[in-house]
């Protein structure tokens, strides 16, 4: 009987070390908290595990709370851990990404982050300031 109990405990402890953790967000494009110079065509989120597309979501909202994505959440064809959603052309502003990723290992992972679109047109004051700042940084590092 004691051998049975010891064997059961060894199997239970050894088996628990093989449990998988839920998927976690490894990388996002646009990056979490970033400012991009033009409207991205999509939000792409790479997770640590393969994702179940039917149960996973990404939504993108503008500052007023209006959903602005194309509602076409899909996995990348070559990477089943890369969840994507298409975007129409976005205006300058701050956008919130709300996501839920269901992998094949419970529980689900979810979260949100923001990114900012800041259009900079060639010849504009912002573009000239950015160019000048880049020149100053280049001179300072040489």
């Amino acid at each position: 009987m004691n051998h049975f109990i010891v064997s059961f405990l060894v199997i239970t402890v050894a088996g628990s070390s093989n449990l998988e953790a839920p998927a976690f967000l490894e990388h996002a494009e646009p990056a979490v908290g970033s400012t991009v110079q033009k409207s991205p065509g999509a939000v792409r989120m790479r997770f640590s595990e393969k994702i179940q597309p039917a149960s996973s979501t990404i939504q993108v909202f503008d500052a007023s709370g209006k959903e602005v994505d194309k509602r076409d959440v899909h996995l990348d064809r070559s990477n089943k851990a890369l969840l994507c959603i298409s975007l129409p052309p976005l205006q300058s502003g701050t956008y919130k990404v709300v996501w839920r990723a269901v992998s094949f290992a419970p529980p689900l992972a979810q979260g949100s982050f923001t990114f900012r679109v800041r259009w900079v047109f060639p010849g504009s004051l912002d573009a000239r300031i950015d160019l000048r700042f880049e020149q100053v940084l280049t001179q300072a590092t040489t």
Side-chain angles (χ1 to χ4, degrees):
M1 180 71 170
N2 285 340
H3 286 295
F4 175 75
I5 293 172
V6 170
S7 297
F8 176 75
L9 289 174
V10 168
I11 291 170
T12 302
V13 171
S16 67
S17 66
N18 292 330
L19 293 177
E20 293 184 37
F24 66 90
L25 179 62
E26 290 184 333
H27 180 77
E29 292 178 19
V32 174
S34 68
T35 298
V36 295
Q37 300 296 315
K38 62 179 184 173
S39 178
V43 170
R44 293 175 182 81
M45 302 174 66
R46 187 179 68 233
F47 293 90
S48 60
E49 305 286 331
K50 291 181 181 177
I51 301 301
Q52 296 182 36
S55 304
S56 300
T57 62
I58 302 175
Q59 295 175 289
V60 182
F61 299 93
D62 66 14
S64 72
K66 178 184 173 194
E67 188 171 358
V68 295
D69 57 77
K70 291 187 177 180
R71 296 180 171 99
D72 65 343
V73 175
H74 58 280
L75 288 177
D76 182 81
R77 291 181 183 172
S78 62
N79 183 348
K80 301 305 181 197
L82 184 60
L83 193 62
C84 309
I85 192 162
S86 304
L87 297 173
L90 299 176
Q91 300 296 316
S92 290
T94 301
Y95 295 87
K96 182 176 184 178
V97 178
V98 178
W99 59 270
R100 181 179 73 181
V102 179
S103 67
F104 293 94
L108 69 89
Q110 59 188 4
S112 66
F113 65 89
T114 60
F115 70 92
R116 185 172 173 226
V117 176
R118 184 174 147 243
W119 283 94
V120 177
F121 299 99
S124 70
L125 178 59
D126 284 342
R128 291 192 304 267
I129 291 170
D130 287 348
L131 178 61
R132 180 68 184 135
F133 184 69
E134 185 177 309
Q135 290 169 345
V136 168
L137 285 179
T138 303
Q139 291 172 355
T141 59
T142 56

